[in-house]
Amino acid sequence: MSGQYNLILMGPPGSGKGTQAKRLVEKLGIPQISTGDILREAVASGSEIGKRAKTIMDRGDLVPDEVVIEIVRQRLERSDCKKGFVLDGFPRTSNQAKSLDAMLAQQGRERACVLALTVADDEVRRRILSRGEGRADDNESAIAKRLEVYRRDTEPVLAHYASAVKRIDGIGSLDEITARLVAALGRRA
Ligand code: B4P
């Protein structure tokens, strides 16, 4: 892989995207861009975007494309993204993926590489229910909705990126999974 790490970390809810993105930041020296974290900050601050997003997120649905696309567009323009980035939780729809491709092309960047964590539904349910962060979307009905939305709207994104997708087994210790991700990028852990 050349100088830039334009990475997309994908996987079902609770598959460990946020957890592993933070570890890749340490290893690769590039920023994490988590649309989930940015939206939760907006909710906490009581901004207009946050007010709009809260009800949608709490029930496990996706925030409208135009809102998250604009968030990512502004974030990618910041200077810390020059060497690359780890997108965590974006793109989640084919429309978001097409917009991201256009943004990268416009900025003269390489196409993104997709690292897709695979974890079975029972395991993600168990992880989310035991994480104890008190997130409003960490309950049985919101998890069922998030998994349904993932199958319907987000799995097609994997087909969109086709040969740029590297599937990574998301079961194992945190260190084991980080090592698999780093190896998929052609680096040693
Ligand atoms: P996110 O914040 O992206 O949340 P997530 O998919 O549920 O979690 P993630 O996969 O990051 O799991 P984590 O590392 O925490 O999205 C939340 C909501 O925001 C969405 O439902 C949507 O409403 C909105 N949203 C975000 N992006 C959007 C977009 N682009 N478009 C529209 N809407 C958007 O790990 C989960 C748990 O597992 C943790 O407790 C962790 O400690 C544990 N864990 C991790 N790795 C493990 C391992 N190897 N073994 C055991 N446990 C592990």
Side-chain angles (χ1 to χ4, degrees), residues 81-93:
C81 292
K82 277 209 177 74
K83 272 175 57 191
F85 50 79
V86 189
L87 271 169
D88 147 23
F90 182 96
R92 262 178 156 95
T93 65

Side-chain angles (χ1 to χ4, degrees), residues 44-108:
S45 76
S47 68
E48 274 315 306
I49 287 183
K51 284 184 197 147
R52 214 174 140 196
K54 183 175 176 2
T55 340
I56 301 172
M57 292 172 76
D58 286 358
R59 64 169 187 255
D61 265 323
L62 293 181
V63 172
D65 281 346
E66 70 270 17
V67 173
V68 272
I69 289 168
E70 190 49 32
I71 286 174
V72 171
R73 185 191 311 283
Q74 289 183 17
R75 183 64 187 86
L76 283 177
E77 280 170 3
R78 287 180 29 195
S79 59
D80 62 342
C81 292
K82 277 209 177 74
K83 272 175 57 191
F85 50 79
V86 189
L87 271 169
D88 147 23
F90 182 96
R92 262 178 156 95
T93 65
S94 298
N95 197 22
Q96 292 178 18
K98 286 179 198 148
S99 297
L100 175 66
D101 294 350
M103 282 180 230
L104 296 183
Q106 205 175 17
Q107 294 182 356

Side-chain angles (χ1 to χ4, degrees), residues 21-168:
K22 288 183 181 59
R23 296 173 140 245
L24 290 178
V25 163
E26 302 256 309
K27 296 260 178 218
L28 306 174
I30 49 175
Q32 171 193 12
I33 304 177
S34 161
T35 41
D37 285 351
I38 295 170
L39 289 167
R40 279 186 288 277
E41 279 162 25
V43 171
S45 76
S47 68
E48 274 315 306
I49 287 183
K51 284 184 197 147
R52 214 174 140 196
K54 183 175 176 2
T55 340
I56 301 172
M57 292 172 76
D58 286 358
R59 64 169 187 255
D61 265 323
L62 293 181
V63 172
D65 281 346
E66 70 270 17
V67 173
V68 272
I69 289 168
E70 190 49 32
I71 286 174
V72 171
R73 185 191 311 283
Q74 289 183 17
R75 183 64 187 86
L76 283 177
E77 280 170 3
R78 287 180 29 195
S79 59
D80 62 342
C81 292
K82 277 209 177 74
K83 272 175 57 191
F85 50 79
V86 189
L87 271 169
D88 147 23
F90 182 96
R92 262 178 156 95
T93 65
S94 298
N95 197 22
Q96 292 178 18
K98 286 179 198 148
S99 297
L100 175 66
D101 294 350
M103 282 180 230
L104 296 183
Q106 205 175 17
Q107 294 182 356
R109 291 170 177 272
E110 290 168 23
R111 203 162 183 237
C113 165
V114 181
L115 301 167
L117 291 168
T118 56
V119 178
D121 288 4
D122 282 355
E123 172 66 8
V124 300
R125 238 181 239 113
R126 191 193 64 72
R127 287 183 187 181
I128 292 174
L129 291 174
S130 62
R131 82 172 142 194
E133 277 175 12
R135 262 173 58 173
D137 58 349
D138 283 354
N139 57 73
E140 290 280 6
S141 73
I143 295 169
K145 182 72 188 173
R146 284 153 69 193
L147 283 166
E148 177 197 322
V149 169
Y150 177 76
R151 300 269 175 270
R152 188 189 64 212
D153 295 335
T154 308
E155 275 190 346
V157 176
L158 292 171
H160 171 85
Y161 284 110
S163 61
V165 177
K166 296 174 196 293
R167 289 182 193 265
I168 311 292

